Short mmCIF file of all heavy atoms in Angstrom, two decimals:
data_model
loop_
_atom_site.label_atom_id
_atom_site.label_comp_id
_atom_site.label_asym_id
_atom_site.label_seq_id
_atom_site.Cartn_x
_atom_site.Cartn_y
_atom_site.Cartn_z
N GLU A 121 78.33 -24.91 55.27
CA GLU A 121 76.87 -24.38 55.31
C GLU A 121 76.71 -23.88 56.70
O GLU A 121 77.46 -23.98 57.56
CB GLU A 121 75.93 -25.47 54.91
CG GLU A 121 76.17 -26.28 53.81
CD GLU A 121 75.66 -25.52 52.46
OE1 GLU A 121 75.19 -24.50 52.55
OE2 GLU A 121 75.65 -26.17 51.34
N LYS A 122 75.43 -23.28 56.86
CA LYS A 122 75.22 -22.56 58.11
C LYS A 122 75.20 -23.49 59.24
O LYS A 122 75.88 -23.40 60.23
CB LYS A 122 73.75 -21.84 57.98
CG LYS A 122 73.54 -20.99 59.16
CD LYS A 122 72.47 -19.99 58.90
CE LYS A 122 72.28 -19.04 60.04
NZ LYS A 122 71.42 -19.80 61.20
N ASN A 123 74.49 -24.71 59.06
CA ASN A 123 74.38 -25.71 60.20
C ASN A 123 75.05 -27.03 59.92
O ASN A 123 74.75 -27.96 60.57
CB ASN A 123 72.98 -25.86 60.56
CG ASN A 123 72.45 -24.61 61.25
OD1 ASN A 123 73.11 -24.01 62.09
ND2 ASN A 123 71.24 -24.21 60.78
N GLU A 124 75.83 -27.10 58.79
CA GLU A 124 76.51 -28.29 58.59
C GLU A 124 77.76 -28.08 57.75
O GLU A 124 77.89 -27.10 57.09
CB GLU A 124 75.54 -29.41 58.03
CG GLU A 124 74.95 -28.96 56.72
CD GLU A 124 73.81 -29.89 56.25
OE1 GLU A 124 73.27 -30.65 57.12
OE2 GLU A 124 73.61 -30.00 55.09
N LEU A 125 78.67 -29.14 57.76
CA LEU A 125 79.85 -29.03 56.91
C LEU A 125 79.58 -30.30 55.92
O LEU A 125 79.56 -31.40 56.32
CB LEU A 125 81.09 -29.22 57.61
CG LEU A 125 82.36 -29.18 56.83
CD1 LEU A 125 82.68 -27.76 56.22
CD2 LEU A 125 83.53 -29.76 57.57
N ILE A 126 79.48 -29.96 54.65
CA ILE A 126 79.44 -31.10 53.69
C ILE A 126 80.86 -31.53 53.33
O ILE A 126 81.65 -30.64 52.95
CB ILE A 126 78.73 -30.65 52.34
CG1 ILE A 126 77.30 -30.10 52.74
CG2 ILE A 126 78.60 -31.80 51.39
CD1 ILE A 126 76.38 -31.07 53.33
N CYS A 127 81.16 -32.80 53.57
CA CYS A 127 82.48 -33.29 53.14
C CYS A 127 82.39 -34.57 52.22
O CYS A 127 81.56 -35.24 52.28
CB CYS A 127 83.04 -33.93 54.59
SG CYS A 127 83.18 -32.75 55.84
N HIS A 128 83.44 -34.54 51.39
CA HIS A 128 83.64 -35.72 50.44
C HIS A 128 84.77 -36.46 50.87
O HIS A 128 85.86 -35.85 51.15
CB HIS A 128 83.71 -35.19 49.09
CG HIS A 128 82.43 -34.47 48.59
ND1 HIS A 128 81.61 -35.09 47.58
CD2 HIS A 128 81.82 -33.37 48.92
CE1 HIS A 128 80.68 -34.26 47.42
NE2 HIS A 128 80.69 -33.13 48.20
N LYS A 129 84.68 -37.78 50.84
CA LYS A 129 85.91 -38.66 50.98
C LYS A 129 85.72 -39.99 50.37
O LYS A 129 84.67 -40.39 50.07
CB LYS A 129 86.22 -38.70 52.59
CG LYS A 129 85.20 -39.72 53.19
CD LYS A 129 85.66 -39.98 54.70
CE LYS A 129 86.59 -41.18 54.66
NZ LYS A 129 87.03 -41.75 55.95
N ALA A 130 86.87 -40.62 50.14
CA ALA A 130 86.84 -41.96 49.46
C ALA A 130 86.50 -43.05 50.49
O ALA A 130 87.01 -42.97 51.71
CB ALA A 130 88.29 -42.23 48.92
N LEU A 131 85.70 -43.99 50.03
CA LEU A 131 85.28 -45.08 50.89
C LEU A 131 85.55 -46.45 50.17
O LEU A 131 85.96 -46.39 49.01
CB LEU A 131 83.76 -44.97 51.26
CG LEU A 131 83.35 -43.56 51.72
CD1 LEU A 131 81.80 -43.61 51.81
CD2 LEU A 131 83.83 -43.53 53.21
N TYR A 132 85.20 -47.55 50.78
CA TYR A 132 85.40 -48.82 50.16
C TYR A 132 86.71 -48.91 49.37
O TYR A 132 86.71 -49.19 48.28
CB TYR A 132 84.13 -49.00 49.11
CG TYR A 132 82.84 -49.35 49.75
CD1 TYR A 132 82.05 -48.26 50.24
CD2 TYR A 132 82.49 -50.70 49.96
CE1 TYR A 132 80.75 -48.63 50.79
CE2 TYR A 132 81.22 -50.93 50.57
CZ TYR A 132 80.40 -49.93 50.99
OH TYR A 132 79.21 -50.29 51.63
N SER A 133 87.76 -48.75 50.23
CA SER A 133 89.15 -48.91 49.69
C SER A 133 89.37 -48.10 48.46
O SER A 133 89.89 -48.50 47.47
CB SER A 133 89.51 -50.34 49.50
OG SER A 133 89.35 -51.04 50.64
N ASN A 134 88.82 -46.82 48.49
CA ASN A 134 88.87 -45.89 47.30
C ASN A 134 88.11 -46.33 46.10
O ASN A 134 88.29 -45.74 45.00
CB ASN A 134 90.37 -45.77 46.94
CG ASN A 134 90.98 -44.61 47.68
OD1 ASN A 134 91.21 -44.71 48.89
ND2 ASN A 134 91.27 -43.50 47.03
N ASN A 135 87.21 -47.26 46.21
CA ASN A 135 86.44 -47.57 44.96
C ASN A 135 85.25 -46.56 44.92
O ASN A 135 84.72 -46.29 43.89
CB ASN A 135 85.80 -49.01 45.10
CG ASN A 135 86.88 -49.99 44.81
OD1 ASN A 135 87.26 -50.15 43.62
ND2 ASN A 135 87.44 -50.71 45.92
N MET A 136 84.83 -45.98 46.12
CA MET A 136 83.57 -45.18 46.07
C MET A 136 84.00 -43.79 46.66
O MET A 136 84.88 -43.68 47.50
CB MET A 136 82.55 -45.77 47.01
CG MET A 136 82.13 -47.19 46.64
SD MET A 136 81.22 -47.19 45.05
CE MET A 136 79.51 -47.07 45.51
#
Side-chain angles (χ1 to χ4, degrees):
Chain A
E121 307 277 8
K122 190 159 179 288
N123 289 316
E124 57 190 23
L125 179 75
I126 304 297
C127 298
H128 296 248
K129 68 167 277 185
L131 307 169
Y132 284 87
S133 302
N134 270 69
N135 285 286
M136 305 290 264

